[in-house]
PDB file of all heavy atoms in Angstrom:
ATOM      1  N   ALA A 215     -19.274   5.740   9.532  1.00 92.00           N
ATOM      2  CA  ALA A 215     -18.982   6.231   8.243  1.00 92.00           C
ATOM      3  C   ALA A 215     -17.608   6.750   8.092  1.00 92.00           C
ATOM      4  O   ALA A 215     -16.904   6.600   7.073  1.00 92.00           O
ATOM      5  CB  ALA A 215     -20.010   7.233   7.847  1.00 92.00           C
ATOM      6  N   SER A 216     -17.182   7.491   9.145  1.00 91.00           N
ATOM      7  CA  SER A 216     -15.766   8.061   9.062  1.00 91.00           C
ATOM      8  C   SER A 216     -14.868   6.929   9.290  1.00 91.00           C
ATOM      9  O   SER A 216     -13.697   6.995   8.712  1.00 91.00           O
ATOM     10  CB  SER A 216     -15.680   9.012  10.315  1.00 91.00           C
ATOM     11  OG  SER A 216     -16.489  10.129  10.052  1.00 91.00           O
ATOM     12  N   TRP A 217     -15.055   5.898  10.070  1.00 94.00           N
ATOM     13  CA  TRP A 217     -14.203   4.756  10.239  1.00 94.00           C
ATOM     14  C   TRP A 217     -13.976   4.047   8.867  1.00 94.00           C
ATOM     15  O   TRP A 217     -12.908   3.685   8.612  1.00 94.00           O
ATOM     16  CB  TRP A 217     -14.856   3.744  11.229  1.00 94.00           C
ATOM     17  CG  TRP A 217     -14.125   2.437  11.342  1.00 94.00           C
ATOM     18  CD1 TRP A 217     -12.963   2.218  12.107  1.00 94.00           C
ATOM     19  CD2 TRP A 217     -14.389   1.232  10.660  1.00 94.00           C
ATOM     20  NE1 TRP A 217     -12.543   0.923  11.868  1.00 94.00           N
ATOM     21  CE2 TRP A 217     -13.423   0.351  11.099  1.00 94.00           C
ATOM     22  CE3 TRP A 217     -15.458   0.840   9.837  1.00 94.00           C
ATOM     23  CZ2 TRP A 217     -13.404  -1.096  10.605  1.00 94.00           C
ATOM     24  CZ3 TRP A 217     -15.400  -0.532   9.401  1.00 94.00           C
ATOM     25  CH2 TRP A 217     -14.481  -1.385   9.746  1.00 94.00           C
ATOM     26  N   TRP A 218     -15.029   3.931   8.037  1.00 94.00           N
ATOM     27  CA  TRP A 218     -14.883   3.306   6.788  1.00 94.00           C
ATOM     28  C   TRP A 218     -13.992   4.093   5.871  1.00 94.00           C
ATOM     29  O   TRP A 218     -13.108   3.525   5.154  1.00 94.00           O
ATOM     30  CB  TRP A 218     -16.198   3.039   6.187  1.00 94.00           C
ATOM     31  CG  TRP A 218     -16.160   2.482   4.790  1.00 94.00           C
ATOM     32  CD1 TRP A 218     -16.504   3.049   3.636  1.00 94.00           C
ATOM     33  CD2 TRP A 218     -15.515   1.216   4.343  1.00 94.00           C
ATOM     34  NE1 TRP A 218     -16.259   2.309   2.553  1.00 94.00           N
ATOM     35  CE2 TRP A 218     -15.631   1.202   2.988  1.00 94.00           C
ATOM     36  CE3 TRP A 218     -14.988   0.164   5.086  1.00 94.00           C
ATOM     37  CZ2 TRP A 218     -15.094  -0.007   2.232  1.00 94.00           C
ATOM     38  CZ3 TRP A 218     -14.505  -0.965   4.398  1.00 94.00           C
ATOM     39  CH2 TRP A 218     -14.610  -0.976   3.027  1.00 94.00           C
ATOM     40  N   VAL A 219     -14.085   5.453   5.965  1.00 92.00           N
ATOM     41  CA  VAL A 219     -13.221   6.257   5.123  1.00 92.00           C
ATOM     42  C   VAL A 219     -11.698   6.075   5.590  1.00 92.00           C
ATOM     43  O   VAL A 219     -10.829   5.881   4.727  1.00 92.00           O
ATOM     44  CB  VAL A 219     -13.638   7.777   5.365  1.00 92.00           C
ATOM     45  CG1 VAL A 219     -12.558   8.676   4.651  1.00 92.00           C
ATOM     46  CG2 VAL A 219     -14.955   8.018   4.733  1.00 92.00           C
ATOM     47  N   THR A 220     -11.460   6.067   6.832  1.00 93.00           N
ATOM     48  CA  THR A 220     -10.132   5.785   7.322  1.00 93.00           C
ATOM     49  C   THR A 220      -9.631   4.467   6.936  1.00 93.00           C
ATOM     50  O   THR A 220      -8.438   4.281   6.486  1.00 93.00           O
ATOM     51  CB  THR A 220     -10.189   5.939   8.892  1.00 93.00           C
ATOM     52  OG1 THR A 220     -10.479   7.345   9.240  1.00 93.00           O
ATOM     53  CG2 THR A 220      -8.676   5.657   9.455  1.00 93.00           C
ATOM     54  N   VAL A 221     -10.519   3.417   7.064  1.00 94.00           N
ATOM     55  CA  VAL A 221     -10.001   2.111   6.657  1.00 94.00           C
ATOM     56  C   VAL A 221      -9.774   1.980   5.252  1.00 94.00           C
ATOM     57  O   VAL A 221      -8.747   1.398   4.863  1.00 94.00           O
ATOM     58  CB  VAL A 221     -11.096   1.035   7.165  1.00 94.00           C
ATOM     59  CG1 VAL A 221     -10.850  -0.288   6.509  1.00 94.00           C
ATOM     60  CG2 VAL A 221     -11.130   0.941   8.613  1.00 94.00           C
ATOM     61  N   ARG A 222     -10.583   2.550   4.360  1.00 94.00           N
ATOM     62  CA  ARG A 222     -10.400   2.504   2.960  1.00 94.00           C
ATOM     63  C   ARG A 222      -9.079   3.187   2.518  1.00 94.00           C
ATOM     64  O   ARG A 222      -8.314   2.654   1.749  1.00 94.00           O
ATOM     65  CB  ARG A 222     -11.581   3.159   2.205  1.00 94.00           C
ATOM     66  CG  ARG A 222     -11.480   3.284   0.759  1.00 94.00           C
ATOM     67  CD  ARG A 222     -12.812   3.612   0.126  1.00 94.00           C
ATOM     68  NE  ARG A 222     -13.404   4.733   0.753  1.00 94.00           N
ATOM     69  CZ  ARG A 222     -13.084   6.117   0.476  1.00 94.00           C
ATOM     70  NH1 ARG A 222     -12.121   6.347  -0.429  1.00 94.00           N
ATOM     71  NH2 ARG A 222     -13.701   7.104   1.112  1.00 94.00           N
ATOM     72  N   ILE A 223      -8.776   4.331   3.043  1.00 94.00           N
ATOM     73  CA  ILE A 223      -7.555   5.049   2.804  1.00 94.00           C
ATOM     74  C   ILE A 223      -6.365   4.202   3.285  1.00 94.00           C
ATOM     75  O   ILE A 223      -5.337   4.126   2.618  1.00 94.00           O
ATOM     76  CB  ILE A 223      -7.577   6.428   3.336  1.00 94.00           C
ATOM     77  CG1 ILE A 223      -8.633   7.268   2.654  1.00 94.00           C
ATOM     78  CG2 ILE A 223      -6.230   7.111   3.245  1.00 94.00           C
ATOM     79  CD1 ILE A 223      -8.827   8.711   3.191  1.00 94.00           C
ATOM     80  N   THR A 224      -6.376   3.689   4.443  1.00 95.00           N
ATOM     81  CA  THR A 224      -5.376   2.936   5.041  1.00 95.00           C
ATOM     82  C   THR A 224      -5.104   1.720   4.206  1.00 95.00           C
ATOM     83  O   THR A 224      -3.938   1.455   3.885  1.00 95.00           O
ATOM     84  CB  THR A 224      -5.718   2.445   6.504  1.00 95.00           C
ATOM     85  OG1 THR A 224      -5.913   3.723   7.310  1.00 95.00           O
ATOM     86  CG2 THR A 224      -4.587   1.639   7.080  1.00 95.00           C
ATOM     87  N   ALA A 225      -6.060   1.008   3.795  1.00 95.00           N
ATOM     88  CA  ALA A 225      -5.931  -0.249   2.937  1.00 95.00           C
ATOM     89  C   ALA A 225      -5.454   0.186   1.615  1.00 95.00           C
ATOM     90  O   ALA A 225      -4.516  -0.629   1.100  1.00 95.00           O
ATOM     91  CB  ALA A 225      -7.262  -0.961   2.868  1.00 95.00           C
ATOM     92  N   THR A 226      -5.856   1.196   1.023  1.00 95.00           N
ATOM     93  CA  THR A 226      -5.361   1.554  -0.290  1.00 95.00           C
ATOM     94  C   THR A 226      -3.863   1.986  -0.246  1.00 95.00           C
ATOM     95  O   THR A 226      -3.084   1.590  -1.058  1.00 95.00           O
ATOM     96  CB  THR A 226      -6.214   2.732  -0.793  1.00 95.00           C
ATOM     97  OG1 THR A 226      -7.536   2.391  -0.934  1.00 95.00           O
ATOM     98  CG2 THR A 226      -5.778   3.099  -2.296  1.00 95.00           C
ATOM     99  N   ALA A 227      -3.528   2.809   0.772  1.00 95.00           N
ATOM    100  CA  ALA A 227      -2.191   3.226   0.976  1.00 95.00           C
ATOM    101  C   ALA A 227      -1.225   2.008   1.189  1.00 95.00           C
ATOM    102  O   ALA A 227      -0.145   1.896   0.636  1.00 95.00           O
ATOM    103  CB  ALA A 227      -2.016   4.226   2.053  1.00 95.00           C
ATOM    104  N   LEU A 228      -1.705   1.044   1.954  1.00 95.00           N
ATOM    105  CA  LEU A 228      -0.817  -0.135   2.288  1.00 95.00           C
ATOM    106  C   LEU A 228      -0.738  -0.959   1.084  1.00 95.00           C
ATOM    107  O   LEU A 228       0.399  -1.507   0.804  1.00 95.00           O
ATOM    108  CB  LEU A 228      -1.585  -0.929   3.381  1.00 95.00           C
ATOM    109  CG  LEU A 228      -0.755  -2.133   3.925  1.00 95.00           C
ATOM    110  CD1 LEU A 228       0.605  -1.732   4.366  1.00 95.00           C
ATOM    111  CD2 LEU A 228      -1.599  -2.890   4.964  1.00 95.00           C
ATOM    112  N   ALA A 229      -1.772  -1.131   0.303  1.00 95.00           N
ATOM    113  CA  ALA A 229      -1.611  -1.903  -1.028  1.00 95.00           C
ATOM    114  C   ALA A 229      -0.691  -1.213  -1.958  1.00 95.00           C
ATOM    115  O   ALA A 229       0.172  -1.979  -2.583  1.00 95.00           O
ATOM    116  CB  ALA A 229      -2.997  -2.042  -1.688  1.00 95.00           C
ATOM    117  N   LEU A 230      -0.722   0.047  -2.097  1.00 95.00           N
ATOM    118  CA  LEU A 230       0.204   0.748  -3.015  1.00 95.00           C
ATOM    119  C   LEU A 230       1.619   0.645  -2.401  1.00 95.00           C
ATOM    120  O   LEU A 230       2.647   0.436  -3.245  1.00 95.00           O
ATOM    121  CB  LEU A 230      -0.225   2.258  -3.082  1.00 95.00           C
ATOM    122  CG  LEU A 230      -1.512   2.393  -3.801  1.00 95.00           C
ATOM    123  CD1 LEU A 230      -1.872   3.930  -3.771  1.00 95.00           C
ATOM    124  CD2 LEU A 230      -1.389   2.082  -5.286  1.00 95.00           C
ATOM    125  N   ALA A 231       1.775   0.698  -1.077  1.00 94.00           N
ATOM    126  CA  ALA A 231       3.147   0.589  -0.514  1.00 94.00           C
ATOM    127  C   ALA A 231       3.739  -0.830  -0.723  1.00 94.00           C
ATOM    128  O   ALA A 231       4.869  -1.003  -0.999  1.00 94.00           O
ATOM    129  CB  ALA A 231       3.048   0.933   1.005  1.00 94.00           C
ATOM    130  N   CYS A 232       2.851  -1.761  -0.616  1.00 94.00           N
ATOM    131  CA  CYS A 232       3.222  -3.234  -0.914  1.00 94.00           C
ATOM    132  C   CYS A 232       3.731  -3.351  -2.381  1.00 94.00           C
ATOM    133  O   CYS A 232       4.843  -3.849  -2.637  1.00 94.00           O
ATOM    134  CB  CYS A 232       2.056  -4.231  -0.642  1.00 94.00           C
ATOM    135  SG  CYS A 232       1.814  -4.567   1.023  1.00 94.00           S
ATOM    136  N   VAL A 233       2.924  -2.848  -3.361  1.00 94.00           N
ATOM    137  CA  VAL A 233       3.361  -2.938  -4.699  1.00 94.00           C
ATOM    138  C   VAL A 233       4.673  -2.145  -4.935  1.00 94.00           C
ATOM    139  O   VAL A 233       5.629  -2.695  -5.602  1.00 94.00           O
ATOM    140  CB  VAL A 233       2.211  -2.392  -5.658  1.00 94.00           C
ATOM    141  CG1 VAL A 233       2.749  -2.333  -7.032  1.00 94.00           C
ATOM    142  CG2 VAL A 233       1.035  -3.251  -5.490  1.00 94.00           C
ATOM    143  N   GLY A 234       4.742  -0.935  -4.480  1.00 92.00           N
ATOM    144  CA  GLY A 234       5.991  -0.140  -4.699  1.00 92.00           C
ATOM    145  C   GLY A 234       7.170  -0.666  -3.976  1.00 92.00           C
ATOM    146  O   GLY A 234       8.292  -0.715  -4.571  1.00 92.00           O
ATOM    147  N   GLY A 235       6.964  -1.020  -2.744  1.00 92.00           N
ATOM    148  CA  GLY A 235       8.059  -1.386  -1.855  1.00 92.00           C
ATOM    149  C   GLY A 235       8.635  -2.686  -2.195  1.00 92.00           C
ATOM    150  O   GLY A 235       9.890  -2.923  -2.451  1.00 92.00           O
ATOM    151  N   VAL A 236       7.692  -3.637  -2.489  1.00 92.00           N
ATOM    152  CA  VAL A 236       8.233  -5.077  -2.872  1.00 92.00           C
ATOM    153  C   VAL A 236       8.816  -4.979  -4.319  1.00 92.00           C
ATOM    154  O   VAL A 236       9.915  -5.585  -4.646  1.00 92.00           O
ATOM    155  CB  VAL A 236       7.019  -6.028  -2.824  1.00 92.00           C
ATOM    156  CG1 VAL A 236       7.511  -7.444  -3.441  1.00 92.00           C
ATOM    157  CG2 VAL A 236       6.625  -6.177  -1.400  1.00 92.00           C
ATOM    158  N   GLY A 237       8.203  -4.230  -5.228  1.00 91.00           N
ATOM    159  CA  GLY A 237       8.728  -4.087  -6.586  1.00 91.00           C
ATOM    160  C   GLY A 237      10.040  -3.483  -6.565  1.00 91.00           C
ATOM    161  O   GLY A 237      10.975  -3.963  -7.359  1.00 91.00           O
ATOM    162  N   LEU A 238      10.201  -2.387  -5.940  1.00 92.00           N
ATOM    163  CA  LEU A 238      11.532  -1.678  -5.789  1.00 92.00           C
ATOM    164  C   LEU A 238      12.573  -2.510  -5.182  1.00 92.00           C
ATOM    165  O   LEU A 238      13.748  -2.567  -5.617  1.00 92.00           O
ATOM    166  CB  LEU A 238      11.396  -0.367  -5.176  1.00 92.00           C
ATOM    167  CG  LEU A 238      12.514   0.616  -5.459  1.00 92.00           C
ATOM    168  CD1 LEU A 238      12.557   0.943  -6.990  1.00 92.00           C
ATOM    169  CD2 LEU A 238      12.184   1.972  -4.730  1.00 92.00           C
ATOM    170  N   ALA A 239      12.227  -3.175  -4.084  1.00 91.00           N
ATOM    171  CA  ALA A 239      13.166  -4.081  -3.464  1.00 91.00           C
ATOM    172  C   ALA A 239      13.640  -5.252  -4.336  1.00 91.00           C
ATOM    173  O   ALA A 239      14.806  -5.635  -4.230  1.00 91.00           O
ATOM    174  CB  ALA A 239      12.568  -4.730  -2.061  1.00 91.00           C
ATOM    175  N   THR A 240      12.760  -5.778  -5.103  1.00 88.00           N
ATOM    176  CA  THR A 240      13.146  -6.825  -6.092  1.00 88.00           C
ATOM    177  C   THR A 240      14.150  -6.303  -7.089  1.00 88.00           C
ATOM    178  O   THR A 240      15.084  -6.938  -7.423  1.00 88.00           O
ATOM    179  CB  THR A 240      11.861  -7.352  -6.792  1.00 88.00           C
ATOM    180  OG1 THR A 240      10.958  -7.832  -5.804  1.00 88.00           O
ATOM    181  CG2 THR A 240      12.219  -8.507  -7.715  1.00 88.00           C
ATOM    182  N   LEU A 241      13.861  -5.051  -7.605  1.00 89.00           N
ATOM    183  CA  LEU A 241      14.737  -4.493  -8.646  1.00 89.00           C
ATOM    184  C   LEU A 241      16.103  -4.190  -7.959  1.00 89.00           C
ATOM    185  O   LEU A 241      17.197  -4.424  -8.554  1.00 89.00           O
ATOM    186  CB  LEU A 241      14.191  -3.181  -9.168  1.00 89.00           C
ATOM    187  CG  LEU A 241      12.921  -3.396  -9.986  1.00 89.00           C
ATOM    188  CD1 LEU A 241      12.443  -1.986 -10.386  1.00 89.00           C
ATOM    189  CD2 LEU A 241      13.259  -4.240 -11.261  1.00 89.00           C
ATOM    190  N   PHE A 242      16.154  -3.725  -6.645  1.00 88.00           N
ATOM    191  CA  PHE A 242      17.288  -3.423  -5.977  1.00 88.00           C
ATOM    192  C   PHE A 242      18.195  -4.777  -5.817  1.00 88.00           C
ATOM    193  O   PHE A 242      19.425  -4.791  -5.875  1.00 88.00           O
ATOM    194  CB  PHE A 242      17.058  -2.836  -4.602  1.00 88.00           C
ATOM    195  CG  PHE A 242      16.619  -1.421  -4.638  1.00 88.00           C
ATOM    196  CD1 PHE A 242      16.313  -0.778  -3.487  1.00 88.00           C
ATOM    197  CD2 PHE A 242      16.592  -0.705  -5.848  1.00 88.00           C
ATOM    198  CE1 PHE A 242      16.005   0.607  -3.512  1.00 88.00           C
ATOM    199  CE2 PHE A 242      16.286   0.582  -5.852  1.00 88.00           C
ATOM    200  CZ  PHE A 242      15.941   1.258  -4.709  1.00 88.00           C
ATOM    201  N   SER A 243      17.473  -5.773  -5.489  1.00 82.00           N
ATOM    202  CA  SER A 243      18.226  -7.141  -5.239  1.00 82.00           C
ATOM    203  C   SER A 243      18.793  -7.559  -6.629  1.00 82.00           C
ATOM    204  O   SER A 243      19.807  -8.402  -6.490  1.00 82.00           O
ATOM    205  CB  SER A 243      17.220  -8.226  -4.754  1.00 82.00           C
ATOM    206  OG  SER A 243      16.220  -8.554  -5.725  1.00 82.00           O
ATOM    207  N   LEU A 244      18.350  -7.166  -7.655  1.00 80.00           N
ATOM    208  CA  LEU A 244      18.884  -7.645  -9.028  1.00 80.00           C
ATOM    209  C   LEU A 244      19.953  -6.704  -9.479  1.00 80.00           C
ATOM    210  O   LEU A 244      20.673  -7.096 -10.389  1.00 80.00           O
ATOM    211  CB  LEU A 244      17.783  -7.832 -10.075  1.00 80.00           C
ATOM    212  CG  LEU A 244      16.672  -8.878  -9.688  1.00 80.00           C
ATOM    213  CD1 LEU A 244      15.562  -8.859 -10.688  1.00 80.00           C
ATOM    214  CD2 LEU A 244      17.285 -10.285  -9.542  1.00 80.00           C
ATOM    215  N   SER A 245      19.957  -5.465  -9.065  1.00 82.00           N
ATOM    216  CA  SER A 245      20.886  -4.488  -9.576  1.00 82.00           C
ATOM    217  C   SER A 245      21.310  -3.498  -8.448  1.00 82.00           C
ATOM    218  O   SER A 245      20.553  -2.740  -7.960  1.00 82.00           O
ATOM    219  CB  SER A 245      20.170  -3.645 -10.699  1.00 82.00           C
ATOM    220  OG  SER A 245      21.017  -2.520 -11.046  1.00 82.00           O
TER     221      SER A 245
END
């Protein structure tokens, strides 16, 4: 049960980091 909580938070944080990091890098490459 605790493992699933850790995995869920890790996956959510990684997904948000992907969206934010890739999106910001794309904007940086254009400007």
